[in-house]
């Protein structure tokens, strides 16, 4: 039994409780495969550079693959006496094939660069997965918006009726925000997919390692060159957590819209039963629990970001054990974001949109008021501010006397003009009717990006194209990494087989 | 099989993935015992109020105790198809004893008040546990300070030499800060230990429940009276998380001191091997990993607080599913704080304090400079600002010419006086020697709370007394809750036995 | 001109840009009065202890009062070449009355304890002010709730209809939460109102100061005894910021309710014009801007807390310049909270509650469903879970066939019973009618804290009493401090006058 | 006097206190110039599209330029009765040239898109400024590293001696991290520099505006197309704040290094007097206050980020007044970061590096231990793990018997080999001497990125090139915006002049 792999310098062992405190073993399980890949690549390079023989390499690789097999079959024994997965793996190899050969596995490397390379491999994977889900949501929203480019709906500011538009426009506003999230993760990937391996503890090594070779074997795009930087920096993790937090802030907004619009009072949408819960006591309840949880899980992403920012605050340069705490917040935040995206994909795929209710609610709204004001500037050669005041006066009176927008009389409007301008204004009899015709009103709003059906359709077409481009970019990145991995696994198997 | 206990209102079930997203089952395990206790108390009260028969009560209690047994033996089957532990428990009971009787268990109650009562029971327990560990650390520090009330040491401001003092004074400054932490948790406990049970979903019930009775049965000090408040509010959780964050900020400071003082360059303390780690590659390393991790885990507490604050931000009044996310950050933060306290208890219990090195470092320090300035005001009737300038001038010159403090000549001091004041000052020949005698110097610093040995001893005695008082307060609170629990368990067993 | 009051030790001065970076002068203005008070108290004590003559004291006090006068008249010249207000004040005094006397002002003191005492004096003041506004809001809410103890309203969970209650109950839930905020600030005050003065730089002084005397002169309740603790600790600031964040999280909830209930779709309340804004372009808009800003300013309080927590993370023990950054986040957070409280006082004082709309909305709601389920358990001897299922089934069918709750027929209910139980159940013909009678229904909900009119009235009476008790507690604290200050000012004037 | 520009719809005005609460006037001053630019561009476009006459345009532009002049001369009267700078400006214009013409200024626009365009113009400016300072720091560090590519120094992990390297390598690790910060801001700029103008309130306009034209006039790279997205989204602000927080976390690390290395105990560097402060009471003090403040101001950036994240959490889509709170945290965070960069530029430009002390400290260090272990693997054909154990054993004994690394005897090493391996190992007599020769030892560490002088020089050359490339990229972006602005100002002056 290989106890105390690294502790020759120290006499006493930690108690099992202290060992458990020190150990990151459970957080490490998420990088176990990455750790094995990285170790195998490192050892292949060591062999290629003449640091070990082919036979030694084969033994080490076989032992590592044994661990992988146990892990995949759920048989790997975990013990928090090991400080981390790195110690567990090396101990297992040493135990199995002896310290003379197994003890070579860690030559020209340190846990400091090892954990950094594992983390980066895992984060790049999670970034690509997440981006995939992001695109799923983007595509579902585009699809739904195609159905609703003619679904008239009130647009809200301050949660109050603002202007009339179409529901598609809301969905497209989500799409555009999510595309920015995609771009952020994509930019971040460039800084993540770099290899720190070979930085060793902090100051490199006299062992003739080849950093470019391990970089290539592991599918990285380049090196984190400076050895001090490579082991000390976690800004790639902080940046990742930042973008996850920003993403979740956007998902919390989408959720809030869905929750509000699911109320009996709004009644614009209804979540499918599959994404709703009921009450243990109130039999009538149908609660939008899934999106409430998405909103609630925003806290996870914010908290994880603050956790990481706190961790690195005021740390000295050089690896410190504090950095061990990078993993848990990252995993938690990725999980929250990924599952939230999946949920929203399902929610929108099955969402019941009550376009009739959306449409009928406009009838009771003063939302076309700004269209009236703009019409007044055109018809009567008034400045916008004058027109705005007239309509403001008009609406105040209408609210007071409970007259709906489409019930307002030309005469009343003329009175408001008189009151505000101090003079008579002649209005065409059709003016109010034209504005009250919501559809034609909307078609007049031709400014780029306006929420009218034709703009919606134009924008949908563009977004569809863009989504395809993003898909391609994503799969190219995936492909490069998968190819490297396939090559690595093939090499590993070849070395092992030859041995026999 | 009792599927869909609450979902009569809805047609479709969530997919297993969605169900897992919605479920809080794993976070709930930490309140399982509390949930059983709360349910038993509620049902005993229902029987007392005539809502169920003694036979029915006995069946329900027996079934609940069966679940508890399985849990304690690690045999309870968990399935995330259940939204939470509450559904799992009720389903199990209904499955076992039928819906006619088992279906009464949840009468006059909702999961909304149920989870609130469970949470409060668990948080009060965790608060008391944590306070216990806090006192452990306080006591260890007091003990260590007793050994070091004569250990002279430089006091630092801006991480630069400030004044001379004793090491005990540093330890006592930790003690005083930790006592404030204790008081904060103690104040918070008063707001936590209140029963929300009986608020039901949000609006109470027409079932003749007795809220005061369940309050008593569960060892609470009173009610969260308003039913809306009882199910909507999580400020007790936010407050708890705040105090945990503040505590951890203090522990990060203690850790930082230990890390700094463990460097080769300072060399004031050495952590025992048990609390140190070494390197996988650098054979000479002895790293203060345990306290680095305490410092690193500060991020967990900060992140958990931000998580909770985010969750409640902008939520409407009334239970929302977001609140389900209260648990995980609380558990994580408590665990980080508790284990950190335990680690520090061990670290200080086994700490090697290098008093000699502390003492010898003073010899190379200009830390007695302020004592000299104060002596000058007394001896020469100078204002403090004049004396301060003279000594400032003196030190600048001494640094430049590499003269240590205890090597400074009276003549040099007189020259500095002349330069600053523009006139001659007559100094007693013993002035510098007196100040350079650190021990006597320190004994002259008689202001209350000063870091001299006699003040240290006086303060140690007081802290010892205070620690005892806090122990008593803590055990009184523990006792009350334990007594209530013992009574409850006795009743439960009696009801069950009678049945047979 | 007194340049470089403290810099004898150093040769070069900072550039004006660097000086501005180092200076906290503008943040310090909020503690200027406290700084003068503290300095005067300290100097009176120095005189009493024989460290300076009465004539010297009088000169110093006169000079300080001159600064105060300039400040009050807006004539004080500020220059960021001074590192802080302390340097500015001492420089001014020295310039005015010479270094022989003026240079005595800072004897037996350091800026480290000085700024700590100033901060604590200001924070205690802000705490008391804030608590005063808190009580204002509590009282306004109680008053409004008295008007609405009979205003029937739907209670919401998950923003969905839950049960019927009264509006007063919502208001009282705010009251109870705010009272807990009050208690938190009150507990915190105990830890704030302690004097660190006399700790000096970090290690006390050989000057015969009397810490208890300055403590008394400045109206403190006791000492922060340990000199290291006194200058290093900012947990009182962190705790204050925590409670401000918790308070704001509560105010964000109240605001969210008001915003939701102000929508056209809910229409339960309308903010008065005074607290609303309109749009620069949409003439119909009436936006609840004041409460949106309260919700938005929640970020200020959260951010300030994180700012402070970050600042103290991993700092070594002993004053570090980082602590200078305590002030700005505290001031910002207090201002946000105080103004938010004032706004909400005004909002509720002028709020238009549309009780009719609240009442009429119930007619379209299935909120009485749980009352029906409970009635079924009583009438038909069903377990609650059976009754819950029956009503769940009933509501699902009613929603599908668009039958409102008060239109449901006994026959339909019997069919639901049959379907769920598999057997016939005989129902009294009056059952449904009784439940549909909301008022009587509500009166049957007699559990403590239930949202029925009589419980509301009972609780209002209690809260009124409690609010009075809190007022008294608050004014007692204010009084003690004011008395001390009055005594101090009288002494100051007496010393100055005698001089002439 | 133009009172209540927009409030025709409402009867009562806010009290002055409420108005001050609602107003963002003071935060707006930082976007005043941007607001004038944006308004001028918008009005020029309106004229070009035939919405106003040339004469009307000229009047409006002249009035706006009048306001600009007053502002630049510090004469602009500010009154918080105005909700914001937009209302102030429009009111001033209307007051000056009448509502018939002045009232046209806001045609086809809303404050919602207006404030978004102002913010983006200001943020892009601040991003470019900040990037400029970042490059200053990068260049200063490169320059300093050139001087220290041969300055031997201990590299630290866990704040303990790890390996020997050169100081240049530390400086370069800062450089590489700062370049990543630069890249982040650069990526962010792409998402910031887009025009939301023309989105109007939320739903576009029927006025024939030309969004592409205002985009071009204001130097943007494209549109935020969707009108809902354009007014609702603040992710560009959150992203900016995230990168500022990450930057500050890096600067806190650099500061921490400087503070640690400035201690008497380390003594590696000394800040120039210009960036140091002294004590009001301890005459010997020279405190690294400037970098302590940089570390302390990290809290500002973290707090600002949390502030913004909190603000957007759970907000509905559509402009809400909460978003007004975007400005203050952004300004504060930019200011903290910019001034911190300036300070660090000055600190490093004037830093006294004590290379001798760095070098001499190595003599007392066991840092070459890993070199010895690696030498053993080469010399004796041991596996690294065996060699690691041998050296671990050796060091433990040496520490115990107080033997320095360069005093270790070959015999002692042979004994350690024997003890660990259980067999004799023959060592060359020169082995230990070779390793103890630090310089040659370092030259053997040839792995890419290793901290040896030749690698340092190679990397310095590359960084210098890269810094130049970044400078060019930056100035290209600046140039484009400046050109657009120059063109705009020329047009404005031409229109105004023609009028006369």
């Amino acid at each position: 039994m290989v106890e105390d792999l690294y502790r020759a310098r120290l006499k006493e062992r930690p108690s099992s409780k202290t060992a458990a405190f020190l150990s990151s073993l459970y957080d490490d399980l998420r990088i176990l495969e990455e750790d094995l890949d990285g170790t195998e690549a490192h050892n292949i390079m060591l062999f290629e550079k003449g640091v070990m023989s082919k036979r030694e390499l084969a033994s080490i690789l076989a032992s590592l693959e044994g661990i992988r097999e146990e892990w995949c079959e759920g048989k790997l024994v975990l013990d928090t006496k090991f400080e981390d997965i790195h110690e567990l793996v090396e101990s297992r190899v040493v135990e199995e094939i002896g310290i003379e050969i197994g003890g070579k596995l860690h030559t020209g490397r340190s846990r400091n660069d090892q954990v950094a390379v594992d983390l980066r491999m895992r984060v790049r994977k999670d970034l690509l997965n997440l981006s995939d889900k992001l695109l799923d949501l983007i595509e579902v929203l585009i699809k739904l918006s195609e159905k609703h480019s003619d679904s008239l709906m009130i647009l809200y500011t301050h949660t109050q009726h603002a202007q009339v538009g179409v529901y598609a426009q809301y969905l497209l506003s989500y799409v555009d925000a999510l595309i920015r999230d995609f771009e952020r993760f994509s930019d971040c990937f460039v800084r993540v997919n770099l290899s720190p391996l070979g930085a060793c503890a902090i100051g490199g090594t006299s062992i003739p390692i080849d950093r470019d070779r391990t970089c290539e074997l592991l599918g990285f795009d380049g090196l984190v060159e400076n050895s001090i930087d490579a082991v000390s920096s976690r800004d790639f993790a902080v940046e990742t957590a930042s973008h996850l937090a920003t993403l979740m802030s956007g998902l919390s907004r989408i959720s809030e819209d869905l929750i509000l619009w699911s109320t009996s009072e709004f009644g614009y949408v209804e979540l499918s039963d599959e994404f709703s819960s009921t009450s243990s006591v109130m039999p009538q309840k149908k609660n939008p629990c899934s999106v409430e949880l998405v909103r609630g899980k925003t806290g996870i992403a914010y908290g994880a970001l603050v956790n990481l920012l706190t961790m690195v605050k005021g740390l000295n340069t050089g690896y410190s054990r504090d950095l061990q705490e990078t993993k848990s917040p990252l995993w938690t935040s990725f999980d929250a974001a990924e599952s939230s995206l999946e949920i929203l994909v399902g929610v929108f795929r099955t969402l019941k949109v009550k376009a009739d209710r959306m449409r009928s609610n406009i009838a009771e709204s003063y939302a076309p008021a700004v269209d009236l004001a703009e019409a007044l500037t055109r018809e009567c050669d008034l400045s916008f501010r004058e027109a705005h005041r007239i309509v403001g006066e008009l609406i105040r009176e209408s609210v007071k006397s409970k007259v709906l927008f489409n019930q307002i009389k030309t005469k009343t409007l003329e009175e408001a003009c008189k009151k505000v301008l101090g003079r008579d204004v002649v209005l065409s009899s059709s003016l109010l009717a034209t504005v009250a015709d919501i559809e034609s009103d909307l078609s007049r709003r031709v400014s780029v990006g306006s929420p009218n059906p034709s703009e919606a359709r134009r924008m949908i077409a563009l977004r569809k194209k863009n989504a395809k481009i993003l898909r391609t970019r994503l799969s190219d990145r995936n492909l490069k990494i998968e190819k490297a991995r396939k090559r690595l696994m093939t090499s590993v198997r070849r070395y092992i087989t030859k041995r026999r």
Side-chain angles (χ1 to χ4, degrees), chain A:
Chain A
M1 179 56 224
V2 186
E3 193 114 24
D4 297 333
L5 195 61
Y6 313 136
R7 296 178 65 91
R9 160 81 176 82
L10 304 178
K11 270 283 173 201
E12 288 161 79
R13 276 201 60 77
S15 70
S16 67
K17 205 164 191 177
T18 304
F21 181 80
L22 292 174
S23 179
S24 63
L25 200 61
Y26 286 98
D27 286 339
D28 286 351
L29 294 179
R30 187 147 168 169
I31 50 169
L32 195 147
E33 291 257 18
E34 282 72 18
D35 196 60
L36 294 171
D37 291 3
T39 301
E40 291 174 347
H42 180 71
N43 278 270
I44 287 172
M45 178 276 292
L46 287 179
F47 157 69
E48 291 172 355
K49 299 291 291 181
V51 181
M52 58 174 63
S53 70
K54 193 178 271 190
R55 201 185 50 82
E56 289 169 339
L57 173 64
S59 291
I60 288 171
L61 293 178
S63 184
L64 290 169
E65 285 300 304
I67 295 171
R68 194 193 300 269
E69 216 177 298
E70 282 184 29
W71 167 244
C72 292
E73 292 169 356
K75 292 179 186 159
L76 190 66
V77 180
L78 304 170
D79 186 337
T80 54
K81 83 177 175 199
F82 296 113
E83 289 197 7
D84 45 40
I85 200 66
H86 322 300
E87 189 184 0
L88 180 145
V89 167
E90 188 179 347
S91 295
R92 275 288 310 269
V93 172
V94 166
E95 195 178 356
E96 218 171 288
I97 63 174
I99 196 166
E100 292 79 10
I101 297 175
K104 294 197 170 180
L105 164 151
H106 202 60
T107 314
R109 190 179 73 160
S110 153
R111 282 185 297 179
N112 297 355
D113 57 337
Q114 187 183 356
V115 71
V117 83
D118 293 357
L119 267 175
R120 284 170 178 269
M121 286 169 74
R122 180 69 209 205
V123 169
R124 75 179 178 191
K125 185 176 166 183
D126 283 333
L127 280 174
L128 295 176
N129 280 350
L130 190 87
S131 301
D132 190 59
K133 312 274 185 218
L134 246 171
L135 273 177
D136 288 349
L137 182 54
I138 286 167
E139 287 164 357
V140 165
L141 288 167
I142 292 175
K143 212 167 196 175
L144 189 59
S145 71
E146 288 187 284
K147 284 194 209 154
H148 292 286
S149 59
D150 289 297
S151 300
L152 263 56
M153 184 183 177
I154 292 167
L155 309 179
Y156 292 79
T157 60
H158 307 265
T159 335
Q160 298 286 328
H161 295 187
Q163 295 179 271
V164 175
V166 292
Y167 180 51
Q169 196 74 352
Y170 265 113
L171 297 167
L172 290 175
S173 79
Y174 302 159
V175 166
D176 286 4
L178 293 168
I179 287 175
R180 287 193 299 274
D181 284 306
F182 187 95
E183 295 290 359
R184 272 188 281 269
F185 289 116
S186 179
D187 290 347
C188 177
F189 180 88
V190 173
R191 283 177 283 277
V192 167
N193 197 29
L194 301 172
S195 174
L197 196 60
C200 302
I202 181 164
T205 178
S206 63
I207 307 289
I209 61 171
D210 182 346
R211 295 189 63 188
D212 292 324
R213 179 59 178 143
T214 46
C215 170
E216 183 198 13
L217 282 167
L218 295 169
F220 283 106
D221 294 326
L223 297 182
V224 190
E225 200 175 47
N226 183 297
S227 65
I228 299 177
D229 184 36
V231 300
S232 308
S233 296
R234 290 294 181 270
D235 53 289
F236 74 93
V238 174
E239 182 181 358
T240 300
S242 298
H243 297 331
L244 288 168
T246 310
L247 168 66
M248 287 304 292
S249 77
L251 302 189
S252 83
R253 182 164 74 180
I254 297 176
S255 302
E256 185 75 11
D257 286 347
L258 288 168
I259 291 164
L260 181 69
W261 295 344
S262 297
T263 58
S264 307
E265 287 73 11
F266 277 78
Y268 288 172
V269 297
E270 187 178 335
L271 269 64
S272 72
D273 288 3
E274 193 190 334
F275 292 97
S276 305
S277 287
T278 182
S279 158
S280 70
V281 61
M282 294 166 293
Q284 87 283 8
K285 280 315 241 12
K286 180 176 176 179
N287 297 322
C289 284
S290 55
V291 288
E292 289 177 274
L293 277 173
V294 170
R295 187 179 58 184
K297 283 177 193 293
T298 308
I300 295 179
Y302 287 17
L305 172 57
V306 168
N307 186 341
L308 288 171
L309 283 168
T310 302
M311 183 189 73
V312 295
K313 186 258 168 176
L315 267 200
N316 277 109
T317 299
Y319 182 85
S320 287
R321 192 63 172 266
D322 315 54
L323 300 181
Q324 181 169 305
E325 297 292 322
T326 307
K327 294 164 212 161
S328 173
L330 270 186
W331 308 158
T332 319
S333 190
F334 265 122
D335 288 347
E338 273 189 46
S339 57
S340 294
L341 287 170
E342 283 171 2
I343 287 295
L344 286 176
V345 166
V347 163
F348 279 107
R349 197 172 272 154
T350 60
L351 189 68
K352 186 172 169 185
V353 179
K354 299 176 171 174
D356 288 351
R357 163 70 188 146
M358 285 178 175
R359 182 66 181 84
S360 68
N361 201 24
I362 300 173
E364 297 181 32
S365 171
Y366 295 96
V370 64
D371 299 301
L372 176 58
E374 292 186 351
L376 278 176
T377 66
R378 279 193 301 270
E379 284 242 348
C380 315
D381 196 29
L382 295 172
S383 74
F384 180 75
R385 189 54 61 220
E386 290 169 310
H388 178 267
R389 287 191 174 179
I390 290 163
V391 182
E393 176 67 26
L394 179 74
I395 303 287
R396 188 162 54 75
E397 288 305 316
S398 304
V399 169
K400 221 167 81 182
S401 47
K402 298 188 179 172
V403 174
L404 293 180
F405 188 82
N406 53 23
Q407 297 168 337
I408 295 174
K409 306 270 183 257
T410 303
K411 216 187 116 223
T412 323
L413 175 53
E414 283 173 344
E415 283 164 14
C417 288
K418 176 89 196 233
K419 188 167 171 198
V420 167
L421 301 176
R423 58 176 163 94
D424 284 324
V425 167
V426 186
L427 297 171
S428 76
S429 58
S430 64
L431 177 70
L432 274 166
T434 318
V435 173
D437 177 356
I438 303 298
E439 271 83 2
S440 77
D441 216 49
L442 207 48
S443 72
R444 269 190 300 279
R445 269 196 257 134
V446 292
S447 57
V448 173
S450 272
N452 64 56
S454 69
E455 266 301 275
R457 274 186 285 269
R458 184 185 66 77
M459 287 193 278
I460 289 167
L462 281 174
R463 269 61 177 166
K464 276 171 100 167
K465 240 190 240 170
N466 194 12
K468 264 184 208 155
I469 294 169
L470 300 181
R471 272 275 174 231
T472 309
R473 197 202 302 171
L474 194 57
S475 69
D476 287 352
R477 285 185 170 170
N478 263 313
L479 217 65
K480 184 185 166 186
I481 293 169
E482 280 163 24
K483 270 186 187 163
R485 177 135 212 267
K486 209 168 283 179
R487 271 196 308 269
L488 177 64
M489 289 300 112
T490 309
S491 299
V492 166
R493 273 190 300 272
R494 202 174 318 127
Y495 283 115
I496 296 178
T497 319
K498 279 188 197 157
R499 182 185 58 145
R500 283 164 199 163

